[in-house]
Amino acid sequence: MAVTDHSVTSRTIAQRIESVTHHSVSARTIRRHLQQSGLSARRPLLGLTLTQNHRRPRHQWCDERRMWGAE
């Protein structure tokens, strides 16, 4: 279910399992099993794209502080 529908929550999975099997399973157990299978809710953070207007002041700031020593 989590493989085909990425928006489903661990609580929803736990409720569906309980409705089918009549056994209660905690949402934490579902999350742990999904994580062990390589599935997680976290998406990798992609870097923000910097335009020339962003890069220029950033490089200038770095250049000004390049020779700073530990104080």
Side-chain angles (χ1 to χ4, degrees):
M1 180 185 326
V3 175
T4 58
D5 184 8
H6 296 287
S7 64
V8 69
T9 64
S10 57
R11 288 184 184 184
T12 305
I13 295 172
Q15 289 170 350
R16 288 185 187 172
I17 289 173
E18 186 172 356
S19 69
V20 172
T21 64
H22 304 292
H23 290 95
S24 65
V25 178
S26 73
R28 178 66 190 128
T29 302
I30 300 296
R31 284 193 300 271
R32 187 174 59 248
H33 282 285
L34 289 173
Q35 189 176 24
Q36 288 172 352
S37 300
L39 297 174
S40 66
R42 291 175 178 80
R43 294 182 184 169
L45 177 65
L46 299 177
L48 298 174
T49 56
L50 298 177
T51 65
Q52 283 295 336
N53 292 336
H54 293 117
R55 287 184 194 147
R56 205 172 302 115
R58 186 177 177 139
H59 283 290
Q60 181 181 1
W61 185 88
C62 291
D63 287 340
E64 291 170 359
R65 287 153 182 83
R66 181 175 294 162
M67 294 301 181
W68 281 14
E71 294 181 13

